[in-house]
Amino acid sequence: MATIKDVARAAGVSTATVSRVLNNHGSVTTEARDRVNEAVRTLGYHPNSAARTLRSHEVSTLGLVIGDVLNPFFAELARAVEDEAREHGYYVIIGNADENPQCQDEYLDILLDRRVAGLLMCPTAEVSPRVGEAVRNGHSLVFLDRTIPELDIPTVRSENAQAVHELVRHLCSVGHHRIAIISGPDSLVTGQERLAAFREALRDNGCELPAEYLRIGDFQVESGVQAMRSLMELPAPPTAVFAADNLMALGALRSIRDQGLRISTDVGIASFDDLPWFELVDPPITAVQQRTEEIGRVAVRELIASLHGEQARSWKFPCRFVPRQSCGERHP
Amino acid sequence: MATIKDVARAAGVSTATVSRVLNNHGSVTTEARDRVNEAVRTLGYHPNSAARTLRSHEVSTLGLVIGDVLNPFFAELARAVEDEAREHGYYVIIGNADENPQCQDEYLDILLDRRVAGLLMCPTAEVSPRVGEAVRNGHSLVFLDRTIPELDIPTVRSENAQAVHELVRHLCSVGHHRIAIISGPDSLVTGQERLAAFREALRDNGCELPAEYLRIGDFQVESGVQAMRSLMELPAPPTAVFAADNLMALGALRSIRDQGLRISTDVGIASFDDLPWFELVDPPITAVQQRTEEIGRVAVRELIASLHGEQARSWKFPCRFVPRQSCGERHP
DNA sequence: CTGAAAGCGCTTACAG
DNA sequence: CTGAAAGCGCTTACAG
């Protein structure tokens, strides 16, 4: 590949001049500028950004580490992050941690080593020393969707409790008293908060959460399938089930169908996360909607603020409860 | 941040020795090695990979440029690429081109500048000079899902025609004669091929494709909504509609529901791409399944082969036609 | 306006 | 086994 030296030679100038026209820095005569541009074109020259970064410390790339691209929630988040970043002149490179702390660390290293300007991440369960270290080393970091309480890092995410309360109130009002939950992992704040809110809301409405109505999943499809099956095999199965994310909801729906049961008639189902196809299922799925796009966009803005030396702030966005017909609601 | 010099000083050795223990290159006494490792730990040292790459030309990262993360097909592809890459010791960083040739070029530059070992991409419509240039400059590149015929670049993708033929035969066999298509863009091979196969299959089965039954979409949801609406407003609307990707199928389904129509009874619908929730819709959606995971994995293997100086090959994977009940099929 | 030169943080022959 | 030194491809004061 052509280097800056080749260009300089071809244009009959020094490498300093080439650098100047490339970066629009300092003044260069029009004539010299033209010769350089010409040389760049004919040589098909592209600056080596490793060298450039090494020297100038300037970068216009943001790193994003997400839990799992296959989860539509994260895909939407990634999209929002990308859109907002681009509007500010940044690109984003994505690493997929696969909900695996070790993998997350590796991406953290890779992205940081590549000298991204700043980092956005959805932290997985365990606290990795690498994360704290990155911050101490002066890297700008903001969490999104999830947080790690011990770490005091600016976080943009959903306020989980209020919509869960609304959901439970709704379920009770349409006549459910035996309500089960397919919860997320204990180790994730999103898992904890949704479960805590669910439990509390149940109590507020004069219900209990018997141990056998609590199933801990891992936010993946298969755990939803398993949980739903075992729930329906109980001597006294629940009349409604709340799945704490869209993937487990998908699993639960699949399990209902496989058991030859009917949604709503045989067992009600509600989901945290709302997906476009929820409206197309018969009956349409009652769900909690997160403001995913806003979470992604605001996180980027906070990160950029922190890049500019301002103090990044944390945000919590309320969710919207969207009752439909999957829980025995009367049809309109 | 600590540099290799700091480590060298702290360990009382030269930077050369530090580099040796870091890369497990050459021999170092156990004692020196221990001192270096100790220094690395206490200083929280992480090598600057820009500098390392600049010097050694070695990289273990693959770049992936996809059309749109929000499209579940691409998300699945990205996941497969990542899994396979990791099994070979590579990481992958993803760029989201948003189906925009200019954006694609920018990611191409960014990823190449960051010195990825090789590049995987789903090329958007227009041929970008940047792509040919990258290849000429000796970069390893493989296309997946789509290709650009003029470019002669190894491509791993689906064989689109055969399953479409099967689909059409199926539709005719269950009594459809007025079949419309919501096609992808003309400029994408996937769009072209699916349409051409559809047209040909119709002819084989003694049907026509009247101009008003051909709607060109852009592989996005909204175009599916529009197309479906206008199709059903025709004086003689089709009895079945084939959507050339999952996003347009989603749009079409939404449009059917919004118009108060019933799937299958009022109009049949089939989709290219099969999604987990297709089984959950009532009635379940008839679809063409791509071997997405295999496409992603094989593309990575070909890229790695080409990195090792072997000639990468092109692959075409057959699709599987999955008849369900959305096209007036008799219920089992 | 422009060039010579130093230096970013590493790796790697080359001596010893 | 180890260090001094060159060099990867850039950018940026410093002179002129």
Side-chain angles (χ1 to χ4, degrees):
Chain A
M1 288 198 63
T3 73
I4 199 173
K5 262 191 197 157
D6 301 321
V7 176
R9 198 175 314 125
V13 297
S14 71
T15 60
T17 300
V18 176
S19 177
R20 282 187 195 103
V21 354
L22 255 27
N23 299 293
N24 254 316
H25 231 67
S27 24
V28 181
T29 53
T30 325
E31 200 216 359
R33 180 178 306 276
D34 288 348
R35 284 215 310 278
V36 169
N37 284 326
E38 175 60 20
V40 166
R41 192 154 351 96
T42 59
L43 291 167
Y45 168 73
H46 282 273
N48 177 326
S49 76
R52 174 178 282 179
T53 300
L54 182 55
R55 189 60 243 250
S56 70
H57 300 277
E58 253 177 46
V59 259
S60 60
T61 316
L62 266 23
L64 170 65
V65 181
I66 55 176
D68 178 12
V69 242
L70 270 193
N71 184 330
F73 169 76
F74 286 122
E76 200 183 335
L77 206 55
R79 193 42 147 65
V81 163
E82 201 144 25
D83 287 345
E84 182 73 23
R86 192 137 53 215
E87 286 170 23
H88 292 271
Y90 287 92
Y91 288 90
V92 4
I93 50 190
I94 305 175
N96 190 186
D98 198 17
E99 298 294 10
N100 172 337
Q102 193 190 330
C103 191
Q104 169 181 291
D105 269 19
E106 279 161 351
Y107 271 113
L108 205 63
D109 278 346
I110 291 188
L111 259 20
L112 253 25
D113 285 356
R114 264 147 220 276
R115 298 301 188 253
V116 290
L119 207 57
L120 263 350
M121 65 186 293
C122 311
T124 58
E126 281 131 78
V127 188
S128 151
R130 246 330 241 142
V131 176
E133 202 179 285
V135 180
R136 249 172 287 121
N137 282 332
H139 283 110
S140 289
L141 180 60
V142 355
F143 283 160
L144 63 182
D145 177 44
R146 311 199 277 227
T147 195
I148 295 179
E150 305 89 275
L151 243 36
D152 187 37
I153 282 172
T155 303
V156 182
R157 61 194 192 102
S158 286
E159 143 61 29
N160 288 290
Q162 151 265 329
V164 173
H165 274 271
E166 238 176 292
L167 203 209
V168 172
R169 198 177 320 130
H170 168 83
L171 290 176
C172 291
S173 80
V174 296
H176 292 286
H177 300 292
R178 304 211 311 270
I179 314 174
I181 181 171
I182 306 177
S183 178
D186 260 349
S187 47
L188 259 27
V189 277
T190 40
Q192 288 164 15
E193 288 184 351
R194 290 170 200 172
L195 174 56
F198 181 74
R199 195 168 238 144
E200 207 181 288
L202 237 33
R203 210 173 305 129
D204 288 355
N205 288 272
C207 296
E208 282 295 303
L209 180 60
E212 67 271 25
Y213 279 9
L214 166 58
R215 305 281 151 162
I216 304 280
D218 62 359
F219 280 150
Q220 306 278 65
V221 178
E222 195 45 37
S223 72
V225 175
Q226 303 296 350
M228 194 64 179
R229 180 173 332 142
S230 67
L231 243 16
M232 297 312 286
E233 281 166 355
L234 250 27
T239 60
V241 176
F242 168 50
D245 91 328
N246 75 80
L247 256 21
M248 298 193 299
L250 170 59
L253 287 167
R254 191 180 285 167
S255 167
I256 291 176
R257 192 213 44 197
D258 290 348
Q259 294 175 77
L261 301 175
R262 300 213 34 179
I263 300 166
S264 182
T265 323
D266 295 318
V267 59
I269 176 109
S271 164
F272 204 98
D273 289 339
D274 191 23
L275 254 31
W277 58 269
F278 278 8
E279 297 188 301
L280 298 173
V281 177
D282 182 39
I285 308 300
T286 291
V288 172
Q289 221 166 64
Q290 299 194 64
R291 288 161 72 172
T292 317
E293 178 166 5
E294 235 168 314
I295 293 177
R297 286 188 176 269
V298 168
V300 171
R301 272 182 244 142
E302 290 300 337
L303 181 59
I304 291 177
S306 129
L307 257 24
H308 293 348
E310 294 159 41
Q311 177 66 49
R313 289 182 306 153
S314 288
W315 292 69
K316 269 200 183 180
F317 287 99
C319 297
R320 195 159 78 90
F321 173 58
V322 185
R324 287 196 270 250
Q325 275 111 53
S326 61
C327 299
E329 294 89 344
R330 222 158 304 161
H331 284 240
Chain B
M1 290 198 62
T3 73
I4 199 174
K5 262 192 200 157
D6 301 322
V7 177
R9 197 176 314 127
V13 297
S14 72
T15 61
T17 300
V18 176
S19 177
R20 282 188 195 102
V21 354
L22 256 27
N23 299 293
N24 253 317
H25 232 67
S27 26
V28 181
T29 52
T30 325
E31 198 215 359
R33 181 179 306 276
D34 289 348
R35 285 215 310 280
V36 169
N37 284 326
E38 174 60 19
V40 165
R41 193 154 352 93
T42 60
L43 290 167
Y45 170 72
H46 282 273
N48 176 327
S49 76
R52 172 177 284 180
T53 301
L54 182 56
R55 189 61 244 249
S56 70
H57 299 277
E58 252 177 46
V59 259
S60 62
T61 317
L62 265 23
L64 169 65
V65 181
I66 56 176
D68 178 12
V69 244
L70 269 191
N71 185 331
F73 170 76
F74 286 122
E76 199 182 335
L77 206 55
R79 191 46 146 65
V81 164
E82 202 143 26
D83 288 345
E84 182 73 22
R86 190 137 52 216
E87 286 169 24
H88 293 270
Y90 288 92
Y91 287 90
V92 3
I93 49 187
I94 305 175
N96 190 188
D98 197 17
E99 298 294 10
N100 173 337
Q102 194 190 329
C103 192
Q104 169 181 291
D105 270 18
E106 279 160 352
Y107 271 113
L108 205 63
D109 278 345
I110 290 187
L111 259 22
L112 253 23
D113 285 356
R114 264 147 220 274
R115 297 300 187 256
V116 290
L119 207 58
L120 262 351
M121 65 187 292
C122 311
T124 59
E126 280 130 77
V127 189
S128 149
R130 246 332 241 139
V131 177
E133 202 179 285
V135 180
R136 249 171 287 120
N137 283 333
H139 284 110
S140 288
L141 179 61
V142 355
F143 283 160
L144 64 181
D145 176 45
R146 312 200 277 227
T147 194
I148 295 179
E150 304 89 275
L151 243 37
D152 188 36
I153 283 172
T155 302
V156 182
R157 61 194 191 102
S158 286
E159 143 62 28
N160 287 288
Q162 152 267 328
V164 172
H165 274 270
E166 236 176 296
L167 203 210
V168 171
R169 198 178 320 128
H170 169 84
L171 290 176
C172 291
S173 80
V174 296
H176 292 287
H177 300 293
R178 301 210 314 268
I179 313 174
I181 180 171
I182 305 178
S183 177
D186 260 348
S187 46
L188 260 27
V189 277
T190 40
Q192 287 164 17
E193 288 183 353
R194 291 170 199 171
L195 174 57
F198 181 75
R199 196 168 237 144
E200 207 180 288
L202 238 31
R203 210 174 303 127
D204 289 355
N205 288 273
C207 295
E208 283 295 303
L209 180 61
E212 68 271 24
Y213 278 9
L214 166 58
R215 305 282 150 160
I216 304 282
D218 60 0
F219 280 149
Q220 307 279 64
V221 178
E222 195 45 36
S223 72
V225 175
Q226 304 295 349
M228 194 63 179
R229 179 171 333 142
S230 68
L231 242 17
M232 297 313 285
E233 282 167 353
L234 249 25
T239 61
V241 175
F242 168 50
D245 91 328
N246 75 80
L247 256 20
M248 298 193 298
L250 170 59
L253 288 167
R254 190 180 287 167
S255 167
I256 291 175
R257 193 213 44 195
D258 289 348
Q259 294 174 78
L261 300 174
R262 300 213 33 178
I263 301 167
S264 182
T265 324
D266 295 318
V267 59
I269 175 109
S271 164
F272 204 99
D273 289 339
D274 192 22
L275 255 31
W277 58 268
F278 278 9
E279 297 187 302
L280 298 172
V281 176
D282 182 39
I285 308 300
T286 291
V288 172
Q289 221 166 63
Q290 299 194 65
R291 290 162 71 173
T292 317
E293 179 167 5
E294 236 168 311
I295 294 177
R297 285 189 178 270
V298 168
V300 170
R301 271 181 244 144
E302 290 301 336
L303 181 60
I304 292 177
S306 130
L307 257 25
H308 294 347
E310 294 159 41
Q311 178 67 47
R313 288 182 306 154
S314 289
W315 292 68
K316 269 200 183 181
F317 287 100
C319 298
R320 195 159 78 90
F321 173 57
V322 186
R324 287 195 271 251
Q325 277 110 52
S326 60
C327 299
E329 293 89 345
R330 222 158 304 160
H331 285 240

